[in-house]
């Protein structure tokens, strides 16, 4: 299995656990999951990328498209679990400035309630 996107729900948000390789061949699966969540009225989405091992330029572009899709749909998206490699890619492409990144799921979920930090952006 090269890619999987598993959806979980909490009272604050829907979480998508992304695992494997996000490339041209898999981006449609992630897009469809996010579109379905938005269509069902789930406006708060957390992408857990801790299981993401690799992404190519299509994967990078899709993360940006998904973020815009969520915002245009009246929602908010958070990102958690960036590996060093994925974080490097996001820094090189300057997408780290766009995605609200949080140190863990709990911090991301609390941010939807207005009780957590606005954004975690550590430069390591």
């Amino acid at each position: 299995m090269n890619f999987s996107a598993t959806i979980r729900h909490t009272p604050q948000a829907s979480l998508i656990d992304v695992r494997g390789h996000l490339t041209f061949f898999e981006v449609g699966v992630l897009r469809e999951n996010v579109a379905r969540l938005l269509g069902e009225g789930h406006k708060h989405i957390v992408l857990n990328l801790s299981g993401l091992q690799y992404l190519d330029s299509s994967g990078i572009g899709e993360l940006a498209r998904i973020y815009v899709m969520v915002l245009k749909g009246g929602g908010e998206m958070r990102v958690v679990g960036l590996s060093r490699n994925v974080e490097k890619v996001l820094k090189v492409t300057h997408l780290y400035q766009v995605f609200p990144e949080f140190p863990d799921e709990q911090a991301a979920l609390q941010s939807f309630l207005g009780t957590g930090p606005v954004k975690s952006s550590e430069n390591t």
Side-chain angles (χ1 to χ4, degrees), residues 56-100:
D56 66 4
S57 60
S58 295
I60 295 165
E62 190 59 31
L63 288 177
R65 278 187 288 279
I66 286 170
Y67 183 73
V68 170
M69 180 173 56
V70 170
L71 292 180
K72 284 186 175 181
E76 297 179 63
M77 188 175 93
R78 310 285 192 259
V79 176
V80 299
L82 295 181
S83 68
R84 286 186 190 252
N85 290 339
V86 173
E87 186 174 22
K88 280 183 190 178
V89 169
L90 295 181
K91 284 185 177 183
V92 167
T93 60
H94 297 282
L95 286 175
Y96 76 98
Q97 296 173 330
V98 175
F99 297 127

